Amino acid sequence: MKKTMPSYWLMKSEPDTFSIDDLAKRPKQIEPWNGVRNYQVRNMFRDQMKEGDLSFFYHSSCPEPGIYGVMKIISNAYPDPTQFDPKSDYYDAKSTQEDPRWLLVDVQFVQKLQTPVLLGTLREHEAKLAGLRVLEKGTRLSVTPVTAAHWKYVCKLAGIKA
């Protein structure tokens, strides 16, 4: 059986909503990455992201945005149950069990960075990180792909093994 290399991702969350520390405290350090309501990201979950991929955990909309940890994708995409719950902030009245609109993946904590790689640091290395979507003006997606070269470079900046 041919072993495929993992793909790499950057997944954003506001730390006052859900942080790398919150993930580390979850049972088995696992959490469904729910609440995504963007068709482009939904399609990435469905068509590109796979079990075994790795992702940077990026804190956004905070005083010091940046990469704070690493997590592993531990499931393939499946319907996000919050879309069916009228009490949920992520409820979608047009989504049905038979034809769900929104998907999620389960993530598992790998490690918290001793020193986060802040957005300012990423910008200082923009020549080496050209094309890293989080550095592009106007990019608002909460999940973006990361090339293997960018993954290795950011891991080097973070002082962790790629």
Side-chain angles (χ1 to χ4, degrees):
M1 182 173 173
K2 183 181 169 188
K3 184 176 182 190
T4 59
M5 296 297 294
S7 293
Y8 302 103
W9 303 92
L10 182 144
M11 298 169 77
K12 295 179 184 177
S13 180
E14 297 176 9
D16 59 348
T17 300
F18 189 75
S19 71
I20 188 71
D21 293 326
D22 295 325
L23 180 58
K25 292 175 189 170
R26 290 298 196 259
K28 298 183 183 177
Q29 298 180 315
I30 295 172
E31 183 74 4
W33 199 265
N34 63 20
V36 173
R37 297 298 182 263
N38 176 285
Y39 287 106
Q40 193 174 349
V41 173
R42 187 250 350 239
N43 294 347
M44 282 189 266
F45 282 172
R46 182 190 66 208
D47 302 332
Q48 297 172 278
M49 196 175 277
K50 62 191 178 306
E51 191 174 331
D53 286 355
L54 295 170
S55 180
F56 291 126
F57 195 122
Y58 186 96
H59 287 182
S60 64
S61 300
C62 62
E64 295 187 298
I67 297 168
Y68 281 75
V70 176
M71 55 191 180
K72 186 176 190 174
I73 310 307
I74 62 161
S75 76
N76 290 321
Y78 63 94
D80 181 341
T82 63
Q83 68 192 308
F84 309 120
D85 180 0
K87 295 178 187 149
S88 171
D89 290 341
Y90 303 114
Y91 176 64
D92 183 340
K94 294 182 180 177
S95 190
T96 65
Q97 295 281 351
E98 299 75 31
D99 189 22
R101 285 185 179 200
W102 306 112
L103 303 173
L104 59 73
V105 295
D106 293 331
V107 298
Q108 184 171 40
F109 177 87
V110 172
Q111 73 182 92
K112 181 177 178 177
L113 302 183
Q114 291 220 300
T115 304
V117 181
L118 300 177
L119 180 58
T121 301
L122 294 172
R123 289 202 189 288
E124 289 170 12
H125 294 266
E126 207 155 0
K128 293 278 189 186
L129 295 172
L132 185 65
R133 302 273 304 270
V134 75
L135 296 176
E136 294 174 0
K137 296 268 188 248
T139 298
R140 307 250 329 132
L141 291 178
S142 62
V143 177
T144 55
V146 173
T147 67
H150 289 155
W151 182 268
K152 288 176 188 168
Y153 193 81
V154 172
C155 286
K156 183 178 163 188
L157 290 175
I160 61 173
K161 188 176 180 202

